[in-house]
Amino acid sequence: MVTILDGKKCSEKRLELVKEQIEESGLHPHLATVIVGSDPASQMYVRMKHRACERVGIGSVGIELPADTTTEKVLEKVRLLNADPEIDGILVQLPLPNQVDAELVIAAVSPAKDVDGFHPENLGLLFSGRPRFTPCTPTGIMTLLSEYRIPLSGARAVVAGRSIDVGRPMAALLINADATVTVCHSRTKDLPEELKRADILVSAIGRAHFIQPGMVKPGAVVIDVGINQLNGKLVGDVDFENVREITSAITPVPGGVGPMTIATLMENTFRAAKVRACGSAR
Ligand code: NAP
């Protein structure tokens, strides 16, 4: 019997929980988003984040900059938000246009307001096993795995993809949870063989239906991070219909990892507000 890991349902539960916790805390957390340009997908993600804020009682401000904004102008905005006592969390929507130095911008966000968890200090803490803010997508996956009581200690986990926003932090979170982790990428030799060793397979490569039944170990847990278009439909990296029966549990696309990312952003923002208000996330 295959378990569908229902990210939509799990995220609803987490959003309700964070809403209650915010009400009880008496805090009024605020998130600022910064978007440069008018990429429709980025604009949609930012809108979804603002809607989630509204739902859980987080105030939000959106800063929209034209597509030709310079790095210096973006940095200026980030510095203003860093200094703004009303703002608890800052999210710079990626990708940024080519002329903007994304690394500089990410590093300019105050680590204490870095609710996306991409600042080198926060990534360093994650990799040293003392996480503070951790990137929302892999953290949401960890929450989903925990919700469905998927055992991680000693499990062989394979992460396909080594990006800084998904693959690498995913690997670090799994290591911190005592899994034995392999990270694969475009230069991996015999990728299907590597993938087939996984008890837990996380695919974050961004190729529609790349993961086929022959690449999955029977009984594996498969987490599909990919968001791809195929014949006008939104699909994951995993050929869901053909792979699902081999697995013990699998995330759908849509309705799997995506909603967990947003719920985690809300949790991170509340946590940032608590730390700023009381010096502790408890
Ligand atoms: P990315 O920065 O483009 O990274 C893709 C990774 O996949 C790279 O490490 C690349 O290897 C590897 N790769 C690409 N083609 C490969 C192949 N044929 N064989 C093996 N490895 C391959 O992408 P990302 O930001 O990590 O995102 C990955 C996917 O997840 C995208 O579809 C994105 O839209 C989606 N996503 C979803 C969420 C969500 O909330 N659901 C959040 C973030 C991203 P190299 O490093 O060698 O180039």
Coordinates of all heavy atoms in Angstrom, one line a residue, residues 137 161-163 165-167 184-187 191 204-207 210 225-228 237 257-258 261, ligand 1:
T137 N 12.3 25.0 1.7 CA 11.9 23.8 1.0 C 12.4 22.5 1.6 O 11.6 21.6 2.0 CB 12.3 23.9 -0.5 OG1 11.7 25.0 -1.1 CG2 11.9 22.6 -1.3
G161 N 20.5 16.6 -7.1 CA 20.6 18.0 -7.2 C 21.4 18.6 -6.0 O 21.4 18.1 -4.9
R162 N 22.3 19.6 -6.3 CA 23.2 20.2 -5.3 C 23.1 21.7 -5.3 O 24.1 22.4 -5.0 CB 24.6 19.7 -5.6 CG 25.1 20.1 -7.0 CD 26.5 19.8 -7.2 NE 26.9 19.9 -8.7 CZ 28.1 19.7 -9.1 NH1 29.1 19.4 -8.3 NH2 28.3 19.8 -10.4
S163 N 21.9 22.2 -5.5 CA 21.7 23.7 -5.5 C 21.8 24.1 -4.0 O 21.6 23.3 -3.1 CB 20.4 24.1 -6.1 OG 19.3 23.7 -5.2
D165 N 19.8 26.2 -2.6 CA 18.4 26.4 -2.0 C 17.8 25.1 -1.7 O 16.9 25.0 -0.8 CB 17.5 27.3 -2.9 CG 17.3 26.8 -4.3 OD1 18.3 26.2 -4.8 OD2 16.2 26.9 -4.8
V166 N 18.1 24.0 -2.4 CA 17.4 22.7 -2.1 C 18.4 21.6 -1.8 O 18.5 21.1 -0.7 CB 16.5 22.3 -3.2 CG1 15.6 21.1 -2.8 CG2 15.6 23.4 -3.7
G167 N 19.2 21.2 -2.8 CA 20.0 19.9 -2.7 C 21.0 19.9 -1.5 O 21.0 19.0 -0.7
C184 N 23.8 13.6 -5.6 CA 24.1 13.4 -7.0 C 23.9 14.7 -7.8 O 23.2 15.6 -7.3 CB 23.2 12.3 -7.6 SG 23.4 10.7 -6.8
H185 N 24.5 14.8 -9.0 CA 24.3 16.0 -9.8 C 24.6 15.6 -11.2 O 24.7 14.4 -11.6 CB 25.3 17.1 -9.3 CG 26.7 16.6 -9.0 ND1 27.6 16.3 -9.9 CD2 27.2 16.2 -7.8 CE1 28.6 15.8 -9.4 NE2 28.5 15.7 -8.1
S186 N 24.8 16.6 -12.1 CA 24.9 16.3 -13.5 C 26.2 15.6 -13.9 O 26.2 15.0 -15.0 CB 24.8 17.6 -14.3 OG 25.9 18.5 -14.1
R187 N 27.2 15.6 -13.0 CA 28.4 14.9 -13.4 C 28.5 13.5 -12.7 O 29.5 12.8 -12.8 CB 29.6 15.7 -12.9 CG 29.6 17.1 -13.4 CD 29.7 17.2 -14.9 NE 29.4 18.5 -15.4 CZ 30.2 19.5 -15.6 NH1 31.5 19.3 -15.3 NH2 29.8 20.6 -16.1
L191 N 24.1 7.5 -12.7 CA 23.1 8.1 -11.8 C 22.0 7.1 -11.4 O 21.6 7.0 -10.2 CB 22.5 9.4 -12.5 CG 21.5 10.1 -11.7 CD1 22.1 10.8 -10.4 CD2 20.8 11.2 -12.5
A204 N 15.6 16.9 -6.8 CA 15.5 18.3 -7.0 C 16.4 18.7 -8.2 O 17.4 19.4 -8.0 CB 16.0 19.1 -5.7
I205 N 16.1 18.2 -9.3 CA 16.9 18.5 -10.5 C 16.2 19.4 -11.5 O 16.8 20.1 -12.3 CB 17.5 17.3 -11.2 CG1 16.4 16.4 -11.7 CG2 18.3 16.5 -10.2 CD1 16.9 15.1 -12.5
G206 N 14.9 19.4 -11.5 CA 14.1 20.3 -12.4 C 14.1 19.8 -13.8 O 14.2 20.5 -14.8
R207 N 13.8 18.4 -14.0 CA 13.6 17.8 -15.3 C 12.3 17.0 -15.2 O 12.2 16.0 -14.4 CB 14.8 16.9 -15.6 CG 16.1 17.5 -15.7 CD 16.5 17.8 -17.1 NE 17.8 18.3 -17.2 CZ 18.2 19.6 -16.9 NH1 17.3 20.5 -16.5 NH2 19.5 20.0 -17.0
F210 N 11.9 12.9 -15.1 CA 13.3 12.3 -15.2 C 13.4 11.0 -14.5 O 14.0 10.0 -15.0 CB 14.3 13.3 -14.6 CG 15.7 12.9 -14.8 CD1 16.4 13.3 -15.9 CD2 16.3 12.2 -13.8 CE1 17.8 12.9 -16.0 CE2 17.6 11.8 -13.9 CZ 18.4 12.1 -15.1
V225 N 10.8 17.3 -5.6 CA 10.8 18.7 -5.4 C 10.5 19.5 -6.7 O 10.1 20.6 -6.7 CB 12.2 19.2 -4.8 CG1 12.2 20.6 -4.5 CG2 12.6 18.3 -3.6
G226 N 10.8 18.8 -7.8 CA 10.7 19.4 -9.1 C 9.4 20.1 -9.4 O 8.3 19.6 -9.0
I227 N 9.5 21.2 -10.1 CA 8.3 21.9 -10.6 C 8.6 22.2 -12.1 O 9.5 23.0 -12.4 CB 8.0 23.3 -9.9 CG1 7.8 23.1 -8.4 CG2 6.8 23.9 -10.5 CD1 7.6 24.3 -7.6
N228 N 7.9 21.4 -12.9 CA 8.2 21.5 -14.4 C 6.9 21.5 -15.2 O 5.9 21.1 -14.7 CB 9.0 20.3 -14.8 CG 10.1 19.9 -13.9 OD1 11.1 20.6 -13.8 ND2 10.0 18.8 -13.1
D237 N 9.7 16.0 -11.0 CA 10.9 15.3 -11.6 C 10.6 13.8 -11.8 O 11.2 13.1 -12.5 CB 12.1 15.4 -10.7 CG 12.7 16.8 -10.7 OD1 12.3 17.6 -11.5 OD2 13.6 17.0 -9.8
V257 N 5.6 18.9 -2.0 CA 6.6 19.8 -1.3 C 6.3 21.2 -1.3 O 6.5 22.0 -0.4 CB 8.0 19.5 -2.0 CG1 9.0 20.5 -1.5 CG2 8.4 18.1 -1.9
G258 N 5.6 21.7 -2.4 CA 5.4 23.2 -2.6 C 4.7 23.8 -1.4 O 5.2 24.8 -0.8
T261 N 6.8 24.3 1.7 CA 7.8 25.4 1.6 C 7.2 26.7 2.2 O 7.8 27.4 3.0 CB 8.2 25.7 0.1 OG1 8.7 24.5 -0.4 CG2 9.1 26.8 0.0
Ligands
NAP1 P1 18.9 24.2 -9.9 O1 19.6 25.3 -9.1 O2 18.8 24.3 -11.3 O3 19.7 22.8 -9.5 C1 19.4 21.7 -10.3 C2 20.4 20.6 -9.8 O4 20.1 19.4 -10.5 C3 21.9 20.9 -10.1 O5 22.6 20.5 -9.0 C4 22.2 20.0 -11.3 O6 23.5 19.5 -11.4 C5 21.2 18.9 -11.1 N1 20.9 18.3 -12.4 C6 20.3 18.9 -13.5 N2 20.1 18.0 -14.5 C7 20.6 16.8 -14.0 C8 20.7 15.6 -14.6 N3 20.3 15.3 -15.9 N4 21.2 14.6 -13.9 C9 21.6 14.8 -12.6 N5 21.6 16.0 -12.0 C10 21.1 17.0 -12.7 O7 17.5 23.9 -9.3 P2 16.8 24.0 -7.8 O8 16.6 25.4 -7.5 O9 17.6 23.1 -6.9 O10 15.4 23.4 -8.1 C11 15.2 22.1 -8.6 C12 13.8 21.9 -9.0 O11 13.0 22.1 -7.8 C13 13.2 22.9 -10.0 O12 12.2 22.2 -10.7 C14 12.5 23.9 -9.1 O13 11.5 24.6 -9.8 C15 12.0 23.1 -8.0 N6 11.8 23.8 -6.7 C16 10.7 23.5 -6.1 C17 10.5 24.2 -4.8 C18 9.2 23.9 -4.1 O14 8.9 24.6 -3.2 N7 8.4 22.8 -4.5 C19 11.4 25.0 -4.3 C20 12.6 25.2 -5.0 C21 12.8 24.6 -6.2 P3 24.8 20.5 -11.5 O15 25.0 21.1 -10.2 O16 25.9 19.6 -11.8 O17 24.5 21.5 -12.6

